[in-house]
Amino acid sequence: MALSQQRVKEIHKLVIPTPFMVGPVNLYLIEGDALTLIDAGPKTDEARESLIQQLKELGIQPSDIDQVILTHHHMDHVGLLDYLREVSSFKLLGHPRNQSWISQDKAFYDHHEQFFMGLYRSLGVPEKYLDAIPRLKQQIFRYSCSTSLDLELREGDTVPGLPGWRVIETPGHARSHISLYRETDGLMIGGDHIIGHISSNALTEPPDPNMGDVERPLSLLMYRESLKRCQTFEISKVLAGHGEEVTGVHDLIETRLQKQMERAQLMKSWIESESMTCFDICCRLFPKVYQQQLALTMSETLGHLDLLVDMGEARIEEKDGVYYYHGAK
Ligand SMILES: [Zn+2]
């Protein structure tokens, strides 16, 4: 449906509650040639009611939505797709790497669990903490969705129904992550790639056999590359997946890159005096939260170890199936 000229280009921010530590998630409703919703919130009653109410205040029914574009596959961004599928015949667009996650593909999630069990053991996580892995899977199944993409978006694609916007692949926080960029005014819809008030985690993910992967993706290295790529665009403002819109993006990216390097150097100073497992380092970095937030804190630690190894500043020795990190010298 073509909307009247004055409504074109309007972007509405919808703030949707989540049960997660990150707090509310931002969806964006764009009145382009197609009425487009960016991301969909978690699968909870509160989130659904909040979405319906905020749409209503704009004079919009959920069934009016022509398309939903996913920035990435995380449960706080996709769960309400199941509800929207019931009430609307929208098209779902996103990077093909969303598919294994959003379809609750059993083989993929079995592989996911096996992968993390093996990885965590090799990183020195004690057996008593490994039940965090099936719990995470249960959480994803509860708050995420079970659906499929209708159209795949990749690097450089124009966005159907949104003239002037194009797709930039920004993997790292999630490997499925894309951002949308409008060259005319430098506006970016950034999902969780760039958030103002918190640094985005580069989460550890399993290789996706459905995408032909064999090796574990090095999430933090990917994330840093995606940040550096964004430095090559004129970005006036980022509409982020959480919190306020972000200005001063180029300075913020410099700060983020610098903080990562500082954290890596701190870890390097530790492993230069004694060999440590990733779990040992995780406990020292996050003594208060590692038990409750094992996946997040281990991702953060492993990512920075990957960075040190990549820079030739750390090396790994395996002993009885466990990796020990040492300084390079
Ligand atoms: Zn996310």
Side-chain angles (χ1 to χ4, degrees), residues 16 36 126:
I16 303 291
T36 303

Side-chain angles (χ1 to χ4, degrees), residues 22 25 71-77 173-174 177 191-193 195 200-201 203 242:
V22 69
V25 62
T71 59
H72 64 298
H73 68 264
H74 290 162
M75 51 194 168
D76 50 337
H77 296 255
H173 170 69
H177 205 292
D192 289 359
H193 178 55
I195 300 174
S200 187
N201 293 87
L203 294 170
H242 302 275

Side-chain angles (χ1 to χ4, degrees), residues 309-329:
V309 170
D310 182 68
M311 293 189 300
E313 297 189 12
R315 62 194 168 82
I316 304 170
E317 266 172 32
E318 187 195 327
K319 203 171 131 192
D320 300 328
V322 177
Y323 298 140
Y324 292 87
Y325 289 83
H326 306 259
K329 288 167 208 141

Side-chain angles (χ1 to χ4, degrees), residues 11-287:
I11 301 179
H12 306 280
K13 178 181 178 181
L14 312 177
V15 182
I16 303 291
T18 83
F20 309 119
M21 205 177 56
V22 69
V25 62
N26 300 329
L27 319 185
Y28 295 94
L29 186 77
I30 310 181
E31 302 190 48
D33 291 346
L35 185 60
T36 303
L37 185 66
I38 310 291
D39 291 335
K43 192 199 294 181
T44 66
D45 292 344
E46 296 77 20
R48 186 187 65 238
E49 290 312 312
S50 177
L51 174 63
I52 293 169
Q53 183 57 33
Q54 290 179 67
L55 289 175
K56 194 174 167 191
E57 284 163 17
L58 296 167
I60 289 165
Q61 304 274 339
S63 57
D64 296 334
I65 294 168
D66 297 314
Q67 56 185 13
V68 179
I69 301 178
L70 296 181
T71 59
H72 64 298
H73 68 264
H74 290 162
M75 51 194 168
D76 50 337
H77 296 255
V78 306
L80 282 181
L81 289 172
D82 284 351
Y83 159 70
L84 289 172
R85 285 291 196 203
E86 288 171 16
V87 296
S88 167
S89 55
F90 70 91
K91 293 246 181 310
L92 181 62
L93 287 66
H95 194 276
R97 284 191 174 277
N98 286 290
Q99 184 59 32
S100 299
W101 298 91
I102 64 170
S103 59
Q104 301 205 353
D105 176 333
K106 187 178 178 310
F108 173 72
Y109 277 100
D110 287 347
H111 158 74
H112 176 279
E113 193 166 328
Q114 289 308 311
F115 165 81
F116 273 103
M117 286 289 183
L119 179 71
Y120 278 13
R121 286 192 176 108
S122 73
L123 297 177
V125 177
E127 291 294 316
K128 65 177 174 180
Y129 294 130
L130 293 179
D131 65 347
I133 296 163
R135 276 208 315 273
L136 177 64
K137 187 168 116 176
Q138 284 162 11
Q139 202 186 32
I140 294 173
F141 274 61
R142 176 171 171 192
Y143 294 110
S144 186
C145 60
S146 180
T147 191
S148 286
L149 292 174
D150 298 305
L151 188 71
E152 295 181 350
L153 294 177
R154 292 176 188 270
E155 174 68 31
D157 284 350
T158 54
V159 185
L162 295 181
W165 291 88
R166 71 187 161 95
V167 175
I168 300 174
E169 292 185 1
T170 44
H173 170 69
R175 207 170 176 190
S176 61
H177 205 292
I178 58 167
S179 300
L180 303 181
Y181 179 64
R182 188 164 68 183
E183 201 153 18
T184 48
D185 60 357
L187 187 62
M188 179 178 271
I189 294 176
D192 289 359
H193 178 55
I194 295 171
I195 300 174
H197 65 294
I198 43 170
S199 61
S200 187
N201 293 87
L203 294 170
T204 307
E205 286 183 15
D208 184 348
N210 296 328
M211 297 298 292
D213 300 343
V214 180
E215 302 284 334
R216 169 174 71 85
L218 302 178
S219 302
L220 185 66
L221 297 180
M222 276 184 190
Y223 182 55
R224 288 172 61 82
E225 284 310 307
S226 294
L227 285 176
K228 287 175 191 168
R229 253 204 85 213
C230 285
Q231 294 291 55
T232 66
F233 296 96
E234 290 285 338
I235 300 172
S236 58
K237 194 159 68 175
V238 174
L239 303 180
H242 302 275
E244 300 303 317
E245 61 186 41
V246 185
T247 52
V249 176
H250 295 283
D251 288 346
L252 181 70
I253 289 175
E254 275 311 314
T255 305
R256 294 277 190 263
L257 291 168
Q258 182 60 31
K259 291 277 179 212
Q260 289 160 2
M261 207 47 92
E262 285 168 15
R263 174 162 278 173
Q265 293 306 320
L266 173 67
M267 289 163 50
K268 181 184 159 194
S269 71
W270 295 345
I271 59 174
E272 276 173 346
S273 53
E274 57 175 323
S275 69
M276 297 171 81
T277 67
C278 180
F279 181 73
D280 295 333
I281 300 166
C282 181
C283 295
R284 196 185 288 186
L285 268 179
F286 306 103

